[in-house]
Amino acid sequence: MHERDLDSLADFDRIETAKQRLRDVWAYRRVDHIPVFIRISGRLGHTRREVIEDEELLYRVNRDNLERSLRLLPDDYVPYARVWFGYMTLATMFGAPVHWADDPEQSPGVERPIITDMEQVYSLTKPDPSRDGLMPRNLRAQRMFAERFPKWVYLSGFDLGGPLNTCRDLVETQLLYTAMIDQPEALHHLLNLVTEVQIACYEAEIEASGGLERLTCIDMAQVWAPEGHKGFVSDDVCATISPAMFETFSKPYNNRIFAHWPGGLLHNCGPHPAAKHYLDHTPPINGVNCSYRYTRDELPRLREAFAGRGLVQAMFDNNETAEEMVAGFRYMMETLAPDVVALPIPIVNDSWSDAEIVDLYWAMREVAEEYAANMRWREDGVSR
């Protein structure tokens, strides 16, 4: 299929309407329904490892998912393509080796930490995005995607994690947590270095993409973020530390990234012990990207922290059935409305038929309309 054929599949008015609906819901302005972003993540019958190791195959898989999404999804879809070689790019730039499990469906990770004594952090040198670790491969593939896909197809950023997440990959696990108490100066030194590298990587990524506005956001999220809200930092480690530790070892370094790209989201699959601190970054951010499975029990905490101003962007990323996704979205509505908006991201794969995907959208859409009708919007007196 050629790019001109993709143009023939695209309903540009509908795409622009979907983008405006996202702008409105991020700003807590009234919408007719909460956007439902079904993510079609097929792999053309290939294993995850085969796709990751072959850039041309990665392109063909993205193209097929894009075509299928344009053809099937009735509404709310903003087209995107995604370069993804694993979550551990920054760690590889410092020399951490990549680990592949025997199971070709398992994502790659870090084979072993390279720091087993915190004094080692002082001998680390600052890597270069253009030549170190997996970053050059990310940039090469992103340039290919930027060139081959039409300009109206957005590109997701790379899965660079966050400063504390990268420290988790680099430092032996027990040592990371004891260093927060016993050797905080060394951990701050490492966090400072990692943050500088992450900012440089985002700058290189934006250049390879053709500009910030070509991106869904600066990191891994596939749902298009409105202009001025492109920031994104992953911080799954904050699920395992106290709010005070989050304030000390996460937030100051996340802030440095959000200072460059204001607004946007923090990712943590869940749970969320530091939820009350999420939005109050400097500058403030807009919400959390999370996994429904690991956030379900935390929704009351998020309701209290996010009321009238924060978004919960929840992925159904654990092979949930259609019934489980619809029930989960209804539970989010019943738990969070009228105070907090939750945007569902159902994820489907090659095993789903076209009819099943369409039926899923309309079942979620029914909840989405009820949810929007039950919300208290800014014009109803909610202030951001």
Side-chain angles (χ1 to χ4, degrees):
M1 204 176 203
H2 300 295
E3 272 71 8
R4 61 179 178 274
D5 298 316
L6 286 178
D7 284 345
S8 70
L9 287 173
D11 183 334
F12 297 111
D13 289 339
R14 188 170 65 189
I15 292 169
E16 287 304 314
T17 298
K19 289 167 61 179
Q20 186 57 49
R21 187 177 296 113
L22 283 167
R23 293 185 187 102
D24 288 341
V25 82
W26 277 60
Y28 270 62
R29 293 193 294 262
R30 188 181 305 280
V31 292
D32 61 341
H33 70 273
I34 304 299
V36 175
F37 192 89
I38 293 182
R39 186 175 125 196
I40 299 178
S41 296
R43 295 202 292 267
L44 293 173
H46 292 273
T47 67
R48 185 184 301 272
R49 182 166 184 172
E50 287 171 337
V51 174
I52 289 174
E53 291 188 329
D54 185 337
E55 291 169 29
E56 284 295 331
L57 178 58
L58 179 66
Y59 169 75
R60 294 201 304 273
V61 163
N62 270 273
R63 189 175 185 79
D64 183 72
N65 290 331
L66 173 61
E67 177 192 346
R68 197 177 184 204
S69 299
L70 289 168
R71 182 166 51 83
L72 293 180
L73 299 180
D75 202 353
D76 297 325
Y77 178 65
V78 179
Y80 76 95
R82 184 192 194 199
V83 169
W84 193 82
F85 298 130
Y87 68 86
M88 64 296 173
T89 289
L90 284 178
T92 68
M93 294 175 68
F94 286 93
V98 174
H99 170 72
W100 282 100
D102 293 335
D103 181 359
E105 294 298 340
Q106 185 173 326
S107 298
V110 173
E111 183 175 298
R112 61 184 180 277
I114 64 171
I115 297 171
T116 56
D117 181 328
M118 289 305 294
E119 291 302 313
Q120 293 173 283
V121 304
Y122 297 108
S123 62
L124 292 175
T125 58
K126 185 176 180 179
D128 185 336
S130 68
R131 66 169 185 265
D132 291 320
L134 285 171
M135 191 62 187
R137 188 168 180 235
N138 279 280
L139 294 171
R140 180 173 65 247
Q142 192 83 337
R143 291 190 184 97
M144 177 179 73
F145 277 30
E147 179 181 344
R148 292 189 185 181
F149 284 112
K151 299 296 185 185
W152 49 266
V153 175
Y154 291 89
L155 306 177
S156 74
F158 309 144
D159 190 353
L160 297 185
L164 193 58
N165 273 15
T166 295
C167 291
R168 175 201 57 192
D169 296 334
L170 293 173
V171 181
E172 187 273 327
T173 302
Q174 183 175 336
L175 178 61
L176 175 66
Y177 291 104
T178 59
M180 292 182 185
I181 300 170
D182 299 332
Q183 297 173 283
E185 298 86 358
L187 183 53
H188 282 299
H189 176 89
L190 179 60
L191 282 162
N192 182 65
L193 177 59
V194 166
T195 304
E196 290 178 3
V197 174
Q198 186 160 349
I199 290 170
C201 287
Y202 284 141
E203 290 171 341
E205 166 200 274
I206 291 168
E207 185 278 329
S209 305
L212 179 62
E213 295 309 320
R214 182 75 188 271
L215 291 168
T216 57
C217 69
I218 62 169
D219 207 272
M220 67 172 184
Q222 290 90 61
V223 181
W224 180 82
E227 302 87 351
H229 304 282
K230 298 292 188 181
F232 192 103
V233 175
S234 290
D235 195 356
D236 288 294
V237 177
C238 79
T240 65
I241 60 177
S242 69
M245 290 296 191
F246 176 81
E247 287 284 294
T248 302
F249 295 106
S250 288
K251 200 169 174 182
Y253 302 97
N254 299 344
N255 283 343
R256 287 172 55 183
I257 294 171
F258 288 121
H260 285 262
W261 300 282
L265 303 174
L266 182 80
H267 167 81
N268 171 25
C269 285
H272 304 276
K276 69 179 182 179
H277 300 283
Y278 283 176
L279 300 184
D280 298 324
H281 278 75
T282 306
I285 65 170
N286 301 92
V288 65
N289 170 273
C290 59
S291 170
Y292 174 75
R293 171 180 287 188
Y294 303 112
T295 298
R296 184 185 189 280
D297 294 340
E298 299 283 292
L299 292 175
R301 188 196 301 265
L302 290 169
R303 178 175 181 168
E304 181 178 354
F306 284 19
R309 63 190 185 119
L311 307 172
V312 177
Q313 195 181 78
M315 300 178 288
F316 291 93
D317 55 352
N318 283 276
N319 296 314
E320 289 94 344
T321 65
E323 292 77 14
E324 288 170 335
M325 293 182 192
V326 175
F329 187 28
R330 178 164 292 280
Y331 180 75
M332 287 194 286
M333 174 187 70
E334 292 171 348
T335 308
L336 296 174
D339 298 315
V340 175
V341 173
L343 283 70
I345 308 176
I347 300 176
V348 301
N349 56 29
D350 288 320
S351 70
W352 289 63
S353 71
D354 289 359
E356 287 171 330
I357 293 173
V358 174
D359 287 347
L360 173 63
Y361 174 81
W362 286 116
M364 298 289 281
R365 171 67 175 265
E366 183 177 344
V367 179
E369 292 177 1
E370 183 179 351
Y371 198 157
N374 288 336
M375 275 298 299
R376 195 162 44 234
W377 299 107
R378 187 173 64 182
E379 55 263 45
D380 301 323
V382 173
S383 61
R384 272 184 78 78

